[in-house]
Amino acid sequence: EIIIQSPGLYIHFHDAVLMVQYIIDGFLHITTNINFNSFVDFIIVIILGGLWGSFANVCIYRLPQSKKGLISGRSYCPQCKKKIVLHDNIPIISYLFLNGKCRRCKKSISPKYLLVETISIILFYTIYFFFGISLTTLFLIILALSFLIIFLSI
């Protein structure tokens, strides 16, 4: 039996696999049951998930540094420190369009940014699918984003 153990986390490997399988099964169930009426909801939730995932990336990058305020200043390339223009800061789309590289210095940008935005979209839609528009949805989204930021900024 394999046990994943780190500070504050103790999970049996089998339980971790079951959690991932449950999430994947839920997402596949969600994507196969989309009808025309919920298509607009699907797009809105994807956009919101991507935007909040992008904000989570800012938190993940800036919280450990604690040099400047969390939301002060614009986004910038981690390599050349040049500000990222608005059209290069669209979640997921810009990363894929620029092949994961900065437009100015052409250095690689960590795929962690893409991963966080993708996970955020999946979390947003999964929560929305199960709970609809409700206070529970709001609380679970806040909780999910908090966990994402905490566990990935370590």
Side-chain angles (χ1 to χ4, degrees), residues 71-135:
I71 54 173
S72 66
R74 301 244 332 255
S75 296
Y76 55 88
C77 170
Q79 306 295 326
C80 67
K81 308 294 186 214
K82 302 278 186 188
K83 288 182 181 176
I84 297 175
V85 293
L86 186 60
H87 63 274
D88 286 342
N89 208 12
I90 301 169
I92 297 179
I93 295 170
S94 295
Y95 187 91
L96 297 174
F97 182 74
L98 296 171
N99 294 320
K101 296 182 181 183
C102 173
R103 183 182 294 273
R104 296 187 182 189
C105 69
K106 306 292 185 217
K107 297 218 173 147
S108 180
I109 296 174
S110 171
K112 181 178 177 181
Y113 292 96
L114 178 65
L115 181 66
V116 169
E117 290 167 0
T118 304
I119 290 171
S120 177
I121 288 171
I122 292 169
L123 287 170
F124 265 58
Y125 198 76
T126 303
I127 292 168
Y128 172 76
F129 180 78
F130 286 110
F131 299 100
I133 297 175
S134 67
L135 279 177

Side-chain angles (χ1 to χ4, degrees), residues 19-67:
M19 285 188 325
V20 170
Q21 183 180 6
Y22 179 73
I23 291 169
I24 291 171
D25 288 346
F27 188 70
L28 292 177
H29 175 72
I30 290 167
T31 56
T32 58
N33 289 325
I34 296 172
N35 60 34
F36 184 72
N37 293 335
S38 67
F39 184 72
V40 174
D41 293 348
F42 179 73
I43 297 301
I44 290 171
V45 171
I46 284 177
I47 291 169
L48 288 174
L51 291 174
W52 282 103
S54 183
F55 176 73
N57 273 323
V58 170
C59 295
I60 291 166
Y61 183 74
R62 293 184 184 175
L63 276 175
Q65 293 178 352
S66 67
K67 289 182 203 171

